[in-house]
Amino acid sequence: MSDFINWSELSELERIKYESNYLRGTLVESLADPITGSIAYADTQLSKFHGIYQQFDRDLEKERKRQKLEPAFSFLIRVRVPGGICSPEQWLQLDSLADQYANHTLKLTTRQAFQFHGVIKTDLKKTIQGINASLLDTIAACGDVNRNVMCHPNPAESDLHAEVYEKARQISEHLLPSTTAYHEIWLDQKLIADSKKDVEPIYGDRYLPRKFKIAVAIPPYNDSDIFSQDLGFVAIIDDNKIVGYNVLVGGGMGTTFGMPETYPRLADVIGFCLPEQVVDVAEKVVLVQRDNGNRQNRKLSRLKYTIDRLGIDGFKSELQKYLGYSLQEPRPFSFTRNGDRFGWKKGANTKWSLTLFVEGGRVADRNGFNLKTALREVAQKISGRFILTGNQNVIIADLTQDEKKAVTEILKKNGVLPGELSGLRQNSIACVALNTCSLAFAEAERYLPSLISKIESLLERYNLFKEEIVIRMTGCSNGCGRPYLAEIGFVGKSEGHYNLYLGGNFNGTRLNSLYKETLTEEEILAELAPVISDYAENREKDERFGDFVIRKKYVKEILKGSDFKH
Ligand code: SRM
Ligand code: SF4
């Protein structure tokens, strides 16, 4: 069948995947090429499936051009961590790799994963081998496959955490690509005599049309923003037991400025399945997308567009054909909030966990705030676990009373237990953006903290410092910080200019709407000041900021993604 593919109609990535011999391409040759710090173009696409992105330092871009040098190439490596769980030993290994080969920081992502930035080509293999030595890997952390599977992170918040985590882990394992290319290229494992014999029973020889994302949630916490996922499973609990999962499909955040046909979309709840059906349902949803997703235009190839093209009923009947059975009617559920809940919490098993705010997800030592050192010392001391949250934060989990004391002392000593944080800052997310992200139009991680300080001054004026408000910023419209679900969302348009979106809700079940376009910082503060003052004076009891701006018609509620304006 593949012989009859009309390549001219398809995106160029389709051919690159097909001709890659199951993700091998010429990666070995590219890595060995001493002339450049980069790899061949096709290999930059294939390396993503191995968890690696080629980047260049955008801060140095102009100067390197002036000096007629090639860009300062380096690589981002993303570690796959289903459900965000890693051991203290693994933390220590990653911490040390960050110092040896990367930019001395660890980045905690919005999908409960780790990223290294700034790894040069000649250190790539050593870093990947170091990651594997800790029994973690980077397989399928990026690329047109299922990505890191998220789940509710906190064992102290839910007795059902272990069961849900196990589901996330099973889904992740089941949907891994089966090619041995990763082991051959990065781990020097023996080449298979005829690697053409590789088969990808789930993905086929062109993999998926686009990336695919899955999360598992335990109500009332929507900490993985389940409505933004291609596929979501929401645990349905009866008598403290998980009786099954509601199935959600078609969420997504990515949009492209200037392409109104692209939009963020909330997932639809399409049914309910039993716990033992979850992995099968995940596989079959992936297969429907594999066979029906758009392979011509990558801007329109996510599952959300497939669903809008087929119609939700069309999608459900297609899924039923693959499943061979119907999903049951969805069961009622509700979320009270998204984001993380900070501080110490004792679980039913009497173990303690501490949810720690990590601004922008960046684990670094800066200006006396020695978070990286502190977490290294914690890892050397505890027998529990680290759990990354889907909001770029970390939970130090499963601690005894004595360990709790020791952790508190370590954090204090390293300046990591700061004074009170505002409700706004605690609910903030900023994507990486500059200086590494090649798609960024504007700053995010490096800028949001200072903008928040200025908005905090406005909030303090009205006694709203503690008010929890979800604020998110991204450096472009791709949506990596899920900005379209924020009560206050900023999306970078150009250096120093942001679109301002208002009206997402606190439990992550409503998209926000464009309020003002292309604002400078001065304009942002001038636009927000009267809204915040109005909120302080005229909010109803317990009314959230996002609900207030809809009630007071600052923005119109968006009922479906395709109505979203950007
Ligand atoms: Fe993302 C591309 C960073 C979560 C939507 N994302 C990128 C790249 C790899 C840029 C690139 O393609 O060259 C960014 C690397 C920047 C850097 O220097 O690190 C990048 N995305 C991130 C992370 C690190 C943001 C963060 O600060 O935490 C997150 C890593 C998650 C992980 O561990 O796997 C990250 N990205 C997301 C999310 C949120 C989520 O998954 O919950 C989204 C929106 C949800 C969705 O997918 O719809 C997201 N990233 C995108 C898109 C737009 C996809 C689309 O449908 O249009 C791109 C661009 C693309 O794929 O073409 C993108
Ligand atoms: Fe880069 Fe844009 Fe994603 Fe931010 S939202 S990390 S700028 S791709």
Side-chain angles (χ1 to χ4, degrees):
M1 190 181 131
S2 306
D3 293 336
F4 303 110
I5 296 169
N6 184 353
W7 295 110
S8 64
E9 282 183 358
L10 300 180
S11 96
E12 66 164 344
L13 259 282
E14 291 301 307
R15 188 163 195 149
I16 290 176
K17 288 183 277 183
Y18 178 70
E19 291 179 347
S20 72
N21 186 14
Y22 294 100
L23 308 182
R24 289 171 178 83
T26 55
L27 271 163
V28 170
E29 292 80 353
S30 274
L31 289 175
D33 180 355
I35 304 293
T36 168
S38 67
I39 57 178
Y41 171 71
D43 294 327
T44 62
Q45 302 306 312
L46 298 171
S47 69
K48 295 181 188 176
F49 292 76
H50 304 271
I52 297 162
Y53 283 85
Q54 179 172 301
Q55 302 186 312
F56 60 93
D57 188 332
R58 295 190 54 191
D59 287 347
L60 303 179
E61 193 175 356
K62 281 190 191 131
E63 180 56 22
R64 302 272 303 184
K65 258 192 197 142
R66 200 186 62 76
Q67 293 187 23
K68 297 196 167 54
L69 294 169
E70 74 170 13
F73 289 114
S74 69
F75 294 82
L76 171 177
I77 301 178
R78 194 177 284 161
V79 184
R80 186 176 64 96
V81 198
I85 295 186
C86 75
S87 67
E89 294 75 27
Q90 288 169 330
W91 186 282
L92 287 173
Q93 172 79 345
L94 299 184
D95 174 86
S96 134
L97 290 169
D99 288 342
Q100 259 178 293
Y101 301 121
N103 66 355
H104 302 267
T105 74
L106 284 170
K107 166 80 183 182
L108 314 185
T109 75
T110 50
R111 294 196 67 76
Q112 299 181 280
F114 291 98
Q115 276 186 189
F116 294 100
H117 287 108
V119 181
I120 57 170
K121 186 167 88 170
T122 45
D123 287 339
L124 263 181
K125 216 160 150 174
K126 286 178 266 186
T127 316
I128 300 276
Q129 293 187 350
I131 293 166
N132 278 263
S134 72
L135 303 183
L136 287 166
D137 64 62
T138 67
I139 303 174
C142 325
D144 295 344
V145 283
N146 174 54
R147 304 285 187 90
N148 202 39
V149 179
M150 298 171 76
C151 84
H152 170 76
N154 199 339
E157 274 184 348
S158 171
D159 302 346
L160 301 168
H161 171 264
E163 192 177 337
V164 165
Y165 166 69
E166 184 51 25
K167 277 286 168 250
R169 206 195 53 75
Q170 284 169 7
I171 298 168
S172 176
E173 291 303 306
H174 185 74
L175 294 178
L176 278 179
S178 48
T179 171
T180 54
Y182 179 88
H183 303 84
E184 292 167 17
I185 297 168
W186 306 105
L187 308 181
D188 291 331
Q189 290 181 7
K190 226 173 102 228
L191 287 165
I192 292 173
D194 179 4
S195 43
K196 284 225 156 92
K197 285 199 187 115
D198 266 351
V199 278
E200 289 284 10
I202 294 178
Y203 292 116
D205 53 17
R206 282 189 284 144
Y207 294 83
L208 296 182
R210 204 64 161 89
K211 56 176 74 166
F212 195 91
K213 299 182 173 180
I214 303 179
V216 190
I218 308 180
Y221 302 123
N222 186 14
D223 29 33
S224 55
D225 279 325
I226 200 86
F227 287 92
S228 72
Q229 310 286 330
D230 291 280
L231 171 60
F233 292 99
V234 175
I236 301 298
I237 298 158
D238 192 10
D239 202 14
N240 209 26
K241 284 204 178 70
I242 297 178
V243 292
Y245 293 83
N246 274 356
V247 180
L248 283 67
V249 293
M253 292 280 102
T255 70
T256 306
F257 285 138
M259 283 186 70
E261 63 275 38
T262 64
Y263 46 86
R265 185 185 190 280
L266 296 184
D268 294 295
V269 185
I270 59 162
F272 168 90
C273 70
L274 299 173
E276 58 272 26
Q277 293 173 321
V278 164
V279 173
D280 186 45
V281 170
E283 179 190 304
K284 299 305 182 314
V285 173
V286 164
L287 295 188
V288 174
Q289 164 66 353
R290 179 195 69 188
D291 297 343
N292 293 277
N294 181 327
R295 289 182 187 264
Q296 285 83 42
N297 183 351
R298 290 179 64 80
K299 297 279 185 203
L300 300 175
S301 53
R302 295 292 293 273
L303 179 66
K304 60 184 174 181
Y305 301 117
T306 311
I307 290 177
D308 280 349
R309 186 161 37 81
L310 298 176
I312 195 68
D313 290 334
F315 176 82
K316 275 160 73 175
S317 69
E318 193 64 13
L319 177 62
Q320 193 176 329
K321 282 188 221 153
Y322 282 72
L323 283 172
Y325 54 87
S326 327
L327 295 174
Q328 298 178 34
E329 281 302 304
R331 310 278 168 96
F333 69 100
S334 68
F335 291 120
T336 53
R337 56 169 304 150
N338 63 4
D340 297 325
R341 292 137 307 275
F342 297 96
W344 288 103
K345 186 156 180 109
K346 197 176 195 175
N349 62 358
T350 75
K351 292 285 176 77
W352 287 95
S353 81
L354 172 67
T355 306
L356 201 60
F357 175 65
V358 182
E359 194 147 38
R362 188 66 66 173
V363 178
D365 286 347
R366 279 178 193 151
N367 310 323
F369 180 80
N370 295 330
L371 180 62
K372 185 158 176 295
T373 302
L375 292 177
R376 183 189 319 125
E377 289 182 12
V378 166
Q380 284 158 350
K381 199 98 190 172
I382 61 163
S383 56
R385 300 181 280 178
F386 287 87
I387 308 181
L388 313 190
T389 79
N391 301 291
Q392 305 177 319
N393 300 307
V394 66
I395 299 172
I396 309 168
D398 297 336
L399 305 180
T400 61
Q401 185 70 36
D402 285 349
E403 286 176 323
K404 174 177 185 263
K405 217 169 132 215
V407 166
T408 308
E409 271 161 24
I410 294 170
L411 296 178
K412 257 196 203 144
K413 185 182 78 182
N414 286 287
V416 171
L417 282 185
E420 195 181 12
L421 295 173
S422 70
L424 186 73
R425 197 177 295 272
Q426 289 191 342
N427 286 283
S428 64
I429 292 183
C431 76
V432 181
L434 296 166
N435 63 327
T436 52
C437 180
S438 55
L439 307 178
F441 298 132
E443 298 279 353
E445 183 193 322
R446 298 194 296 192
Y447 170 53
L448 186 61
S450 70
L451 179 64
I452 287 182
S453 300
K454 290 176 185 154
I455 302 173
E456 279 171 350
S457 305
L458 291 175
L459 292 169
E460 267 170 339
R461 211 180 290 165
Y462 301 105
N463 215 10
L464 289 171
F465 186 78
K466 285 192 181 162
E467 185 68 26
E468 289 199 86
I469 300 174
V470 177
I471 182 168
R472 296 175 176 179
M473 173 179 277
T474 55
C476 82
S477 57
N478 279 317
C480 300
R482 300 189 290 270
Y484 309 114
L485 284 167
E487 294 178 281
I488 304 177
F490 295 103
V491 175
K493 283 213 90 173
S494 64
E495 215 181 310
H497 293 82
Y498 297 84
N499 279 4
L500 169 58
Y501 299 82
L502 296 179
N505 61 1
F506 192 69
N507 52 4
T509 59
R510 183 173 65 220
L511 290 173
N512 53 23
S513 318
L514 180 62
Y515 181 54
K516 293 282 152 95
E517 267 182 277
T518 327
L519 303 180
T520 60
E521 177 176 288
E522 207 181 326
E523 290 165 337
I524 288 170
L525 296 170
E527 289 294 346
L528 282 178
V531 188
I532 290 174
S533 133
D534 190 10
Y535 177 56
E537 282 162 29
N538 299 311
R539 67 189 290 204
E540 289 174 351
K541 188 170 179 295
D542 297 331
E543 189 175 27
R544 295 280 180 188
F545 184 77
D547 298 332
F548 172 81
V549 295
I550 299 275
R551 180 173 64 81
K552 291 294 295 284
K553 299 195 172 36
Y554 283 101
V555 286
K556 234 171 106 185
E557 179 170 0
I558 297 276
L559 296 173
K560 59 180 202 303
S562 49
D563 290 340
F564 186 88
K565 305 263 177 304
H566 45 85

